[in-house]
Amino acid sequence: STSTAPGPSEPELARFLIQATFGPTLASIRAIGQMTFQQWIDEQMALPVQSHRAYWRKRTNPYLSPADIAGEEVIGAARSRCDPGSRWVGYTFQRRDVGKTVKVSNNQILVDDVHLTDIDPAFEGNGLAAPQSCSNNPPEYWQSRGYTCLTIDQDSFSWSCPDESWRSQESCQQTCFDLGYGHPGDDCSTGWPGVIFDGFLCNVREDAVGAWVQLSTSSDCTAGLRAMTNPHIWRANPTPEMTQSLSFAVFQTSVIHLLTSPAQCNLGTVVRSDVEAGGRFYLLQPRLELVEN
């Protein structure tokens, strides 16, 4: 009688795939277990040649700044806003905007003299509720020592404001918000409607609607500090190009990307979409389209 020698064990199959591929999966281990190593190699050699470089270049989506567009050192051009994959964001201020000029008047916000969003006096379009009235009472042990929320060293707030006892008692509620350590859910700002401001963007806690942002009337962020929250992009009088029917998918909260190109490429820098919520507006975020191989 004859006997068939046992094939490689799963650890041996996995080791072969580690050496021959980018790494094994359960499916690839099961597949190669049905053939010899030589058969697997022959099968791979028969596959059409594919370029990882071409695959990466088609799908990568790096940010493209206005300075990049103006310069000559980039290795591609701006991705068309009408092409699938173009990215649109819902928040007005981005962390990469820190240091740029900010002007607010007539219920409009301009960053580096570019109109980004209108301000909804009804507190609906910008995704922000009306701000609350915040107290600024120091904790009792400060009061007994004669300290106030405005006279104590500001460095101490970075660990005091997140303290559970401070949050439950709403200690120094206004100062904590002004310094960027606000209690969860607090908006102790003045709100955006009616604001008149001319200065600079100093801080953006995160790229998100409702995130804490800090403005200043000086470029070094030492004077006229003002704490606000990040509004959603909104347009009071949208154009037909903004409101046309388009197909988007949600990439992450307040970030969407175009799925299919419009019949006519007439998009501006703002579009409206219901993919996250009804009637939300989004701002184009330029992305780089790499050159072909």
Side-chain angles (χ1 to χ4, degrees), residues 20 39 90 227 291:
Q39 288 173 330
V291 297

Side-chain angles (χ1 to χ4, degrees), residues 9-270:
S9 65
E10 284 196 352
E12 291 172 326
L13 295 173
R15 180 182 179 185
F16 174 80
L17 290 172
I18 289 173
Q19 295 172 329
T21 70
F22 286 109
T25 63
L26 292 177
S28 64
I29 290 175
R30 286 193 295 267
I32 196 174
Q34 304 301 313
M35 62 185 77
T36 66
F37 288 160
Q38 186 59 53
Q39 288 173 330
W40 182 89
I41 293 172
D42 293 340
E43 183 180 271
Q44 296 300 306
M45 295 293 290
L47 293 174
V49 175
Q50 293 180 313
S51 169
H52 178 70
R53 175 186 174 93
Y55 180 93
W56 180 83
R57 282 181 174 270
K58 183 177 180 180
R59 290 165 175 79
T60 192
N61 204 21
Y63 174 73
L64 189 66
S65 70
D68 293 329
I69 296 174
E72 299 180 354
E73 297 182 359
V74 294
I75 57 174
R79 180 191 296 268
S80 170
R81 62 195 65 179
C82 298
D83 285 350
S86 64
R87 186 176 298 194
W88 306 75
V89 299
Y91 37 82
T92 298
F93 298 109
Q94 304 177 46
R95 283 176 289 188
R96 56 173 52 95
D97 292 332
V98 169
K100 295 181 179 179
T101 61
V102 175
K103 295 180 181 178
V104 187
S105 63
N106 299 318
N107 280 337
Q108 293 184 341
I109 298 177
L110 286 72
V111 174
D112 266 3
D113 294 322
V114 177
H115 175 211
L116 296 189
T117 187
D118 295 335
I119 299 168
D120 185 2
F123 291 100
E124 295 178 356
N126 298 115
L128 303 174
Q132 67 207 84
S133 177
C134 295
S135 64
N136 210 29
N137 302 317
E140 293 183 0
Y141 62 89
W142 277 18
Q143 296 181 40
S144 64
R145 301 177 184 178
Y147 297 148
T148 72
C149 301
L150 300 178
T151 58
I152 199 71
D153 180 18
Q154 290 188 357
D155 290 340
S156 65
F157 287 96
S158 62
W159 64 82
S160 295
C161 292
D163 185 81
E164 287 300 326
S165 64
W166 271 51
R167 292 186 171 184
S168 63
Q169 299 174 31
E170 296 185 342
S171 299
C172 296
Q173 187 181 22
Q174 182 69 55
T175 299
C176 285
F177 177 82
D178 290 343
L179 296 177
Y181 310 117
H183 307 325
D186 280 358
D187 181 357
C188 303
S189 70
T190 60
W192 288 102
V195 166
I196 298 177
F197 178 83
D198 190 348
F200 301 86
L201 182 63
C202 296
N203 203 325
V204 178
R205 180 55 47 85
E206 62 177 320
D207 289 341
V209 174
W212 178 82
V213 299
Q214 186 184 52
L215 310 177
S216 174
T217 55
S218 64
S219 60
D220 61 359
C221 298
T222 58
L225 295 176
R226 186 169 194 160
M228 303 293 285
T229 51
N230 202 346
H232 203 291
I233 298 294
W234 182 70
R235 281 293 190 272
N237 300 296
T239 65
E241 289 76 21
M242 296 179 188
T243 59
Q244 63 183 293
S245 179
L246 297 166
S247 180
F248 288 95
V250 178
F251 177 69
Q252 60 188 46
T253 302
S254 297
V255 181
I256 63 176
H257 61 84
L258 189 65
L259 289 179
T260 57
S261 299
Q264 180 182 0
C265 185
N266 60 349
L267 299 182
T269 57
V270 173

